[in-house]
């Protein structure tokens, strides 16, 4: 899904700092889906705690960079399910993206390698799964998102279209 509108509060935090280092963003996607993005380069005590979560009425998926071999699936009234790479129950695209046997961490470095592999396949005319790497449209959409977030914050934290 693509972000349609954003409302942001971005801060430089210090008078002598021109860079945006901390922010919170409310997101609106299509079909009534909402999201929240919090980003900070000054979160005291955190390491590189990149976390992504998708919340739906039937459950929640979450992945954290500090635990790259775990995709957590939470459902109402059921125990936490932890999905790990390297097992036959994963989808074919996930199995192809996994280079190590179960129990060996892969993480961010390997995620970038998977993107490069997709690009190399495309350059060499080999079949490539949809979503194997971002194209120019994703890059343009990302820049529009950044511009909308900054415009929202600089306009007093108002909703703006992306």
């Amino acid at each position: 899904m693509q972000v349609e509108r954003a409302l942001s509060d971005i801060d430089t935090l210090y008078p002598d700092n021109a860079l945006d280092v901390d922010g919170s963003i409310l997101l609106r996607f299509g079909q009534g889906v909402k999201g929240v993005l919090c980003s900070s380069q000054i979160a005291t005590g955190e390491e590189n705690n990149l976390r992504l979560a998708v919340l739906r009425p039937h459950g929640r998926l979450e992945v954290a960079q500090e635990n790259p071999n775990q995709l957590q699936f939470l459902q109402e009234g059921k125990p936490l399910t932890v999905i790990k790479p390297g097992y036959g129950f994963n989808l074919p695209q996930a199995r192809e993206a996994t280079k190590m046997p179960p129990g060996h961490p892969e993480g961010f470095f390997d995620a970038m390698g998977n993107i490069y592999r997709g690009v190399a396949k495309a350059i060499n005319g080999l079949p490539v799964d949809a979503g194997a790497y971002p194209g120019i449209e994703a890059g343009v959409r990302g820049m529009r998102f950044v511009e909308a977030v900054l415009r929202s914050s600089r306009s007093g934290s108002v909703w703006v279209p992306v």
Side-chain angles (χ1 to χ4, degrees):
M1 300 185 81
Q2 296 183 15
V3 177
E4 294 180 355
R5 295 184 301 137
L7 183 151
S8 64
D9 180 21
I10 307 297
D11 199 347
T12 59
L13 291 181
Y14 307 107
D16 60 342
N17 179 28
L19 300 176
D20 300 304
V21 295
D22 188 71
S24 300
I25 308 164
L26 298 177
L27 306 168
R28 295 294 183 263
F29 300 84
Q31 303 172 12
V33 175
K34 300 175 181 181
V36 177
L37 190 155
C38 297
S39 177
S40 180
Q41 291 182 324
I42 52 86
T44 304
E46 293 283 353
E47 291 182 359
N48 196 12
N49 194 12
L50 173 63
R51 289 179 299 174
L52 302 172
V54 177
L55 289 74
R56 299 298 297 155
H58 57 277
R60 168 191 173 114
L61 286 171
E62 182 174 325
V63 65
Q65 184 173 339
E66 291 180 349
N67 295 304
N69 278 11
Q70 295 184 5
L71 174 64
Q72 296 186 351
F73 182 39
L74 297 159
Q75 299 177 82
E76 184 72 37
K78 294 184 179 179
L80 169 69
T81 301
V82 177
I83 303 166
K84 294 185 173 188
Y87 290 101
F89 55 74
N90 291 316
L91 295 174
Q93 189 173 4
R95 289 195 308 270
E96 181 180 308
T98 302
K99 293 161 202 65
M100 304 290 288
H104 296 274
E106 294 190 21
F108 186 74
F109 180 78
D110 291 298
M112 296 293 100
N114 287 330
I115 291 173
Y116 300 147
R117 184 183 66 225
V119 171
K121 283 182 171 182
I123 289 170
N124 289 295
L126 299 172
V128 181
D129 289 328
Y133 63 91
I136 189 72
E137 298 85 12
V140 170
R141 194 171 62 245
M143 293 307 297
R144 286 186 180 139
F145 173 76
V146 170
E147 289 171 350
V149 165
L150 294 173
R151 189 169 61 250
S152 169
S153 185
R154 291 173 183 155
S155 299
S157 299
V158 297
W159 285 104
V160 298
V162 173

